[in-house]
Amino acid sequence: MRPRTTIEKHSAMLLQRLAAPETASHLAANPASMVRLANALIDAGETARAVELAAQARRLAPEDPEIERIALLVLERSVPDWHHTILADAARNSAFDTALRRSVVPGSRVLDIGAGSGLLALMAARAGAAEVVSCELNPALAAAATRIVERNGHSDRIRIVAKHSRDLEIGTDLAGPADIIVSEIVANNLLGENILGTMEDVVGRLAHSTTRVIPSHGAMPIALACYGDLASQQLGSVQGFDLSLMNGFAARIGLSPGNRTLELRSAPEDLFSFDFSSGGPFTGDRAAVTLTSTGGAVNGIVQWIRLTMDAEGTTYENRPAPGASSCWSVMFQPLPCVRATQPGDRIVVQGRRDRTSVWMWAEAPAGETPVSSGT
Ligand SMILES: C[S@@+](CC[C@H](N)C(=O)[O-])C[C@H]1O[C@@H](n2cnc3c(N)ncnc32)[C@H](O)[C@@H]1O
């Protein structure tokens, strides 16, 4: 296959160079070149090779402070910084812990998709699982999770597998189908981390008829909203130049759910919702909901997520409210024009989705052209 982007071309070139026998012997004698190549591989999106090379360079020159520094930065760049944010979200962590404590029984075999730090796997082991297999596609995180599991004394029951879930196999990675599948591969728009594709695959291949899936359901509520700071964020004149065309690149704005200038102007409705535990297939790529205004200016639609963790009704929701906090942002999509609404005015919002993206637009009143934006 031909490389499609500059990054892919760059990556293909680096990998080709890396595969040459003379490169291997040159690098083995030059750990400084090796660690710099690791950094270039990160730029090219080749995280696994980069982490491997950085570790090798460190082993070859354990006392070299320059190599140590570059290797540490390669490791840092290989892991998105939102991992710290999600681990600090006590409500998120507690929703998963509650659901796992309710579901795990002695002897349970748990499959955790996307180990990250290993937190959910540790929760499952603490709840009494006999066996936890936790897969992680990012090799640096998988290595860190393995050490975290050891440090917390659960290596006897948790195995971190450095693989994408699609490469897991019963017999090789899991002794049998999982009794519980837990995952937190949820994006701000619910779908961006491919939870639908992953659930279709793992529930179909690695579960049995009574496997519990956590979260069992996910929904994408939306509401009419007025974001008070919108105007101040829009570009107009900058240093005497009209830069307003740049606003066309701000089709959606990620906000904290606790943003005090964001006010809901309708009750929420779910634009899309999914039963993850069914394993799909997840059909239905169009939706429409009617939102009834509570009155006042409406300058956008706001979308957030709601996760139902288990049949007992443990939920997590990052619904906008003054002072609310969440590791997930809510997505605000400005309307083309501010609408002055009366209580009871109805606005129809159309939605369309594919596996990982969602687009929504408000039907326009007469005389206004609809503009859609994606999340
Ligand atoms: C949002 S983090 C959650 C980490 C941890 N489970 C937690 O809740 O704190 C998702 C992690 O899953 C990994 N991941 C996403 N999809 C995956 C898949 N299909 N197979 C293996 N790892 C996956 C990502 O690399 C990331 O580290």
Side-chain angles (χ1 to χ4, degrees):
M1 210 195 326
R2 290 209 327 251
R4 285 168 298 151
T5 64
T6 314
I7 285 192
E8 284 173 13
K9 273 188 213 153
H10 183 50
S11 143
M13 193 191 74
L14 283 174
L15 291 178
Q16 211 175 0
R17 234 186 249 173
L18 198 54
E22 62 274 17
T23 310
S25 51
H26 168 78
L27 288 179
N30 291 282
S33 304
M34 189 182 268
V35 80
R36 280 197 295 275
L37 180 58
N39 192 51
L41 282 167
I42 287 269
D43 290 335
E46 294 292 336
T47 310
R49 297 301 303 274
V51 169
E52 196 182 295
L53 267 192
Q56 213 178 325
R58 252 171 143 181
R59 280 195 299 274
L60 286 169
E63 307 291 332
D64 186 318
E66 182 182 330
I67 289 172
E68 177 66 10
R69 191 70 209 146
I70 299 174
L72 278 177
L73 289 176
V74 166
L75 272 184
E76 185 198 271
R77 292 181 65 203
S78 74
V79 173
D81 56 7
W82 48 250
H83 274 280
H84 289 84
T85 315
I86 66 174
L87 293 170
D89 186 337
R92 179 200 84 112
N93 299 343
S94 157
F96 276 96
D97 201 24
T98 303
L100 282 165
R101 284 177 195 270
R102 280 190 178 139
S103 303
V104 170
V105 293
S108 292
R109 178 182 297 128
V110 177
L111 171 59
D112 171 29
I113 309 288
S117 63
L119 178 67
L120 304 187
L122 287 165
M123 286 174 179
R126 181 171 63 187
E131 177 190 355
V132 185
V133 172
S134 180
C135 66
E136 173 54 59
L137 58 83
N138 181 322
L141 274 174
T146 303
R147 292 180 62 200
I148 290 170
V149 165
E150 272 166 23
R151 178 168 290 196
N152 286 279
H154 283 296
S155 302
D156 54 336
R157 281 180 294 145
I158 300 176
R159 201 152 43 84
I160 305 288
V161 180
K163 282 186 180 176
H164 192 285
S165 56
R166 75 169 94 85
D167 299 321
L168 294 178
E169 281 173 29
I170 290 182
T172 311
D173 303 299
L174 282 148
D179 304 308
I180 295 162
I181 295 178
V182 64
S183 69
E184 199 278 71
I185 44 173
V186 176
N188 292 329
N189 76 349
L190 190 70
L191 307 183
E193 289 191 46
N194 195 25
I195 189 165
L196 297 184
T198 302
M199 288 301 130
E200 281 179 356
D201 172 47
V202 297
V203 176
R205 285 188 314 113
L206 308 174
H208 52 63
S209 60
T210 58
T211 298
R212 299 186 71 155
V213 175
I214 302 172
S216 61
H217 295 73
M220 196 186 296
I222 61 167
L224 301 176
C226 183
Y227 172 37
D229 279 346
L230 180 62
S232 66
Q233 288 200 359
Q234 303 249 297
L235 289 169
S237 170
V238 176
Q239 295 286 308
F241 300 108
D242 177 359
L243 297 194
S244 58
L245 283 175
M246 290 301 288
N247 295 329
F249 297 112
R252 63 196 173 108
I253 302 167
L255 298 173
S256 159
N259 187 301
R260 290 182 189 277
T261 72
L262 179 67
E263 288 176 28
L264 298 191
R265 290 280 197 259
S266 75
E269 295 285 343
D270 292 345
L271 185 63
F272 288 104
S273 60
F274 303 93
D275 176 356
F276 300 138
S277 63
S278 72
F282 299 103
T283 55
D285 61 356
R286 285 169 189 272
V289 296
T290 302
L291 299 173
T292 305
S293 177
T294 49
V298 171
N299 62 3
I301 305 164
V302 65
Q303 170 263 308
W304 63 97
I305 59 164
R306 187 179 67 256
L307 302 175
T308 303
M309 309 305 288
D310 54 25
E312 288 73 18
T314 313
T315 55
Y316 180 97
E317 185 169 0
N318 62 336
R319 179 183 171 131
S325 72
S326 170
C327 60
W328 283 281
S329 297
V330 302
M331 303 312 294
F332 178 82
Q333 309 203 7
L335 293 178
C337 306
V338 180
R339 297 195 195 176
T341 64
Q342 300 298 319
D345 282 358
R346 285 154 31 131
I347 295 180
V348 177
V349 178
Q350 298 281 346
R352 189 153 188 185
R353 71 161 183 91
D354 63 14
R355 269 301 158 85
T356 52
S357 300
V358 185
W359 300 270
M360 61 189 81
W361 59 97
E363 284 186 358
E368 188 186 289
T369 314
V371 178
S372 76
S373 50
T375 67

